[in-house]
Amino acid sequence: MENPSQMPEQISSIEEHFNKQTAVINKEPSKIRLARVLLKLLPIAFKFRRDRRRWVKQEGKNIDEKKYRKHAEKALKTFIELGPSYIKLGQWLSTRADILPQPYLDVLAKLQDEVPPASFSEVKSMIESELGDIQHVFDEFNTSALSGASLGQVYLAKYKGKDVIVKISRPNIEQIIEKDIFFLKKILPIATRFIDPNLRFSAEGMLSQFIETIHEEMDYRIEADNLMAIKNNLRNDRMIIIPNVIQERTSKHVLTLEYIPGIKITDIEKLEAMGIDREKLVMRVHHVFFKMLLRHTIFHADPHPGNISVAPDTGAIILYDFGMVGRMDNETRIMLIRLYLGLVEKDAVRTVNALIDLKTLEPTVNRYVVEKGIEMSIQSMHGKQVDRMEVNALMELANKTMTRFPFRLPKNLALYMRMTSILEGLYHHHKVKFHFVKVLANLLEQEQLIKEAYKEEIKESIKRFTKNIEASIHVAPLLKSYLESQQQHYYNNPQRNNNNVLAGSIFASALFLGSVMMLPHNPNLSYGGFIVSAITLVTTTTLWKKIRF
């Protein structure tokens, strides 16, 4: 979210931070600097703890929103003063409704990763050290940077007669970031002492993912691999354009890409002039990002407006900047599909099952209360309120209702949360009618993911059912003793053919108990268990009567 009035202050603060950091680049991290950072962040942590507790207790109602925003503005100013790593961390926090109250999210969304570019003479040496003499490497090179960010800066050049974009790392950026990360690792254990354990788990997971991601972002060879992987996954979609990598002009600190200009996704005036249907555009953007998430194992995790454009001739979506991507193992991907299938089919029980399997909810959670909260959210998602994004209902649920329960976000889902939160901002910017459930339903059907999810649902149900049967079978010794005593009472001959009766009774009882335990997880399978248990019991009883008489 752009905020021009704040940009001069932000840029000058970041520039000052770079100058100070570069001046001490060869020194060990200072304990005095650590103490100063800690003194700046601790007051923010105290205020946040108090604000969040009140927000959760009152479910976001009847709170002093002006005071919340004032505290958030203080946090924003502090992140800017502390430098690039903290700005990026603030940007991550601005997408975490499971951690921050809504007023904090709104304010931190103003953080911009824009920094005055370093002088060309400084970055020229980096190009030449990795690729060779710049006059021989490129046909032409415009020494005026198109833009600057905390990790790198972008230039326009010509290669083999074509325009290309050249992204170059900032001088000494790795040493600067390492110092910031050193401080963050020292500070987090202190700051998280003031928050509840589940929130601490989410915050630690987020920081871990943040550190891992920022290291990957500083190696442009990784970004090139990310781009090529996603481009290959989306190769059959003609309405998606991803620039080609010029591999022979790419290294660890230099990335050269095909130059593909477009209209910024948030430029409403130009999009209207092109005759673009913005409602369909928003739906297409969501479709492609959730396709990456649910169909493939790698997805673009930074869909902010600067990274998405629209081709002026075809209306195709152009994607840029693949430094921040999320990776999803197949097991987690299937769990997410099951989660969304539960939402689409208005099934709160299956939705909660998926949340537990994703480890976002503790298995010991009060299922009844959580399912009621999920059910309310699902009703909102499928409701007639078209002026409110359904995804927002889920975010509010995490922010208000779910924070009362043991809800936490594992590290592997941090980038997924970031992606979905940023996409939500796109809907709000365009203010168009948008049905997230409809996008999900179409995607699941088109990509044939429903069948895949149902197969996994059946497997999980069988696993749960088997586990519960195994648990209930522990009552067998007691049940066996009881039945044997009853048999001795009725029969003079204990060796009569009643072993089948005993086995059948034990099985029917175990099946019944297992079905009872399974009922909260999968009612349909439980009812099937009850029926089989009843049939077994009737058969066993009939056999027992025949043996007895």
Side-chain angles (χ1 to χ4, degrees):
M1 189 180 296
E2 297 176 1
N3 186 7
S5 63
Q6 189 175 343
M7 288 309 300
E9 178 188 353
Q10 178 172 323
I11 290 174
S12 62
S13 297
I14 303 171
E15 186 173 23
E16 181 182 352
H17 176 87
F18 268 112
N19 293 337
K20 287 180 180 178
Q21 287 283 62
T22 305
V24 296
I25 201 70
N26 295 318
K27 297 181 181 180
E28 289 296 316
S30 166
K31 291 182 179 179
I32 296 176
R33 163 73 176 165
L34 177 60
R36 287 175 178 169
V37 172
L38 193 59
L39 288 173
K40 283 181 177 289
L41 291 179
L42 277 183
I44 294 172
F46 280 123
K47 289 176 182 177
F48 160 69
R49 178 175 179 258
R50 185 177 62 227
D51 289 347
R52 187 177 187 277
R53 281 188 172 181
R54 187 175 292 117
W55 178 270
V56 171
K57 184 178 180 180
Q58 299 180 206
E59 298 187 358
K61 299 172 184 176
N62 302 318
I63 55 105
D64 187 348
E65 192 167 327
K66 186 176 181 181
K67 183 171 74 173
Y68 275 57
R69 289 184 177 276
K70 182 180 178 181
H71 294 165
E73 291 283 356
K74 175 64 177 176
L76 180 143
K77 185 178 180 181
T78 301
F79 286 140
I80 291 171
E81 289 174 356
L82 290 175
S85 298
Y86 298 90
I87 289 174
K88 281 191 166 290
L89 184 61
Q91 290 173 322
W92 274 59
L93 284 169
S94 72
T95 65
R96 294 298 296 270
D98 61 315
I99 295 178
L100 298 181
Q102 192 62 43
Y104 278 76
L105 299 177
D106 295 338
V107 171
L108 290 181
K110 299 174 184 177
L111 279 170
Q112 299 292 309
D113 188 14
E114 296 185 24
V115 182
S119 65
F120 180 71
S121 59
E122 293 181 79
V123 297
K124 180 183 177 183
S125 59
M126 189 173 294
I127 297 175
E128 296 188 333
S129 67
E130 295 193 358
L131 297 180
D133 188 336
I134 196 169
Q135 293 182 343
H136 298 144
V137 172
F138 296 100
D139 302 342
E140 298 176 17
F141 199 100
N142 188 335
T143 58
S144 298
L146 292 177
S147 64
S150 56
L151 300 184
Q153 47 204 64
V154 177
Y155 294 85
L156 187 63
K158 277 190 179 294
Y159 177 68
K160 291 185 177 180
K162 295 182 179 179
D163 289 334
V164 293
I165 289 293
V166 184
K167 190 175 174 181
I168 309 168
S169 296
R170 275 188 167 275
N172 302 316
I173 187 59
E174 286 160 324
Q175 295 94 324
I176 293 172
I177 294 296
E178 286 304 324
K179 285 181 182 290
D180 286 343
I181 288 174
F182 172 84
F183 292 135
L184 285 170
K185 285 181 176 179
K186 293 289 185 183
I187 290 167
L188 184 70
I190 300 172
T192 54
R193 289 179 185 177
F194 307 106
I195 57 180
D196 65 77
N198 289 301
L199 187 59
R200 187 183 308 133
F201 176 89
S202 295
E204 289 170 353
M206 187 199 70
L207 181 63
S208 176
Q209 184 67 73
F210 168 76
I211 292 171
E212 183 180 311
T213 301
I214 203 170
H215 278 131
E216 289 187 359
E217 283 189 87
M218 290 189 290
D219 189 338
Y220 290 152
R221 295 169 299 185
I222 294 176
E223 180 173 348
D225 289 342
N226 294 339
L227 183 153
M228 289 186 288
I230 293 176
K231 185 180 179 72
N232 181 61
N233 289 340
L234 300 177
R235 63 188 180 278
N236 295 325
D237 193 331
R238 296 181 180 180
M239 294 305 290
I240 300 296
I241 299 174
I242 297 175
N244 290 314
V245 177
I246 313 299
Q247 292 182 286
E248 64 271 23
R249 292 295 179 263
T250 294
S251 61
K252 182 176 182 179
H253 296 106
V254 182
L255 175 63
T256 305
L257 300 168
E258 174 187 13
Y259 177 54
I260 304 179
I263 297 169
K264 195 173 181 178
I265 191 72
T266 51
D267 194 334
I268 294 176
E269 186 177 343
K270 288 185 179 179
L271 292 173
E272 292 280 7
M274 284 175 57
I276 295 290
D277 185 327
R278 291 188 291 113
E279 183 178 333
K280 289 183 179 178
L281 177 63
V282 170
M283 292 184 71
R284 279 170 47 210
V285 170
H286 278 76
H287 183 98
V288 70
F289 275 89
F290 276 88
K291 179 180 178 179
M292 283 187 268
L293 176 71
L294 301 178
R295 168 51 67 193
H296 307 294
T297 56
I298 182 172
F299 61 93
H300 193 306
D302 195 21
H304 70 75
N307 290 338
I308 309 173
S309 289
V310 179
D313 50 348
T314 62
I317 296 168
I318 309 170
L319 302 180
Y320 309 111
D321 196 345
F322 294 79
M324 187 184 297
V325 302
R327 294 175 182 82
M328 200 74 71
D329 62 83
N330 191 60
E331 185 180 3
T332 305
R333 184 182 68 83
I334 294 294
M335 288 178 191
L336 279 174
I337 295 172
R338 287 173 47 214
L339 171 66
Y340 284 122
L341 188 61
L343 295 175
V344 168
E345 297 188 347
K346 307 179 185 179
D347 193 329
V349 173
R350 285 163 57 195
T351 301
V352 172
N353 287 341
L355 287 171
I356 291 174
D357 290 340
L358 284 165
K359 295 182 173 59
T360 58
L361 278 175
E362 292 286 353
T364 55
V365 71
N366 184 330
R367 288 187 62 102
Y368 176 80
V369 178
V370 178
E371 284 171 10
K372 284 297 179 184
I374 293 286
E375 189 177 337
M376 290 176 62
S377 178
I378 290 175
Q379 287 174 359
S380 175
M381 291 176 69
H382 288 268
K384 299 179 180 179
Q385 297 180 1
V386 295
D387 60 335
R388 177 183 176 186
M389 185 181 186
E390 289 90 339
V391 173
N392 193 41
L394 284 181
M395 299 301 289
E396 287 185 1
L397 180 65
N399 212 345
K400 298 176 183 177
T401 310
M402 293 294 285
T403 45
R404 292 181 169 184
F405 311 124
F407 176 79
R408 57 191 198 171
L409 197 72
K411 170 188 167 184
N412 65 328
L413 296 180
L415 286 170
Y416 152 72
M417 176 70 86
R418 174 183 171 81
M419 183 204 81
T420 56
S421 299
I422 295 175
L423 283 177
E424 183 187 351
L426 183 63
Y427 158 79
H428 287 301
H429 178 83
H430 282 278
K431 297 178 181 178
V432 294
K433 294 180 180 180
F434 179 74
H435 295 278
F436 181 61
V437 171
K438 185 177 179 181
V439 172
L440 266 181
N442 289 340
L443 175 64
L444 293 174
E445 185 176 351
Q446 289 175 20
E447 296 298 320
Q448 299 181 347
L449 295 172
I450 296 177
K451 184 178 179 181
E452 193 174 0
Y454 271 124
K455 284 182 180 178
E456 198 63 28
E457 282 283 327
I458 294 171
K459 288 180 184 177
E460 288 300 317
S461 295
I462 292 173
K463 283 181 184 177
R464 286 194 181 95
F465 191 69
T466 304
K467 187 176 180 181
N468 289 330
I469 290 293
E470 289 174 353
S472 62
I473 209 73
H474 289 299
V475 305
L478 294 174
L479 187 61
K480 180 181 178 183
S481 298
Y482 172 75
L483 290 174
E484 284 180 343
S485 67
Q486 293 300 307
Q487 288 167 356
Q488 290 293 334
H489 179 72
Y490 287 110
Y491 308 124
N492 293 323
N493 183 7
Q495 298 301 320
R496 295 178 68 182
N497 188 21
N498 53 29
N499 287 334
N500 290 335
V501 176
L502 178 61
S505 301
I506 293 173
F507 176 74
S509 302
L511 189 60
F512 179 81
L513 291 173
S515 299
V516 170
M517 294 182 202
M518 192 67 190
L519 187 59
H521 305 283
N522 194 319
N524 293 331
L525 194 58
S526 293
Y527 297 144
F530 289 142
I531 293 170
V532 175
S533 176
I535 293 171
T536 305
L537 189 59
V538 169
T539 304
T540 303
T541 303
T542 303
L543 180 61
W544 178 70
K545 287 180 178 180
K546 286 181 179 180
I547 293 172
R548 182 182 176 187
F549 300 107

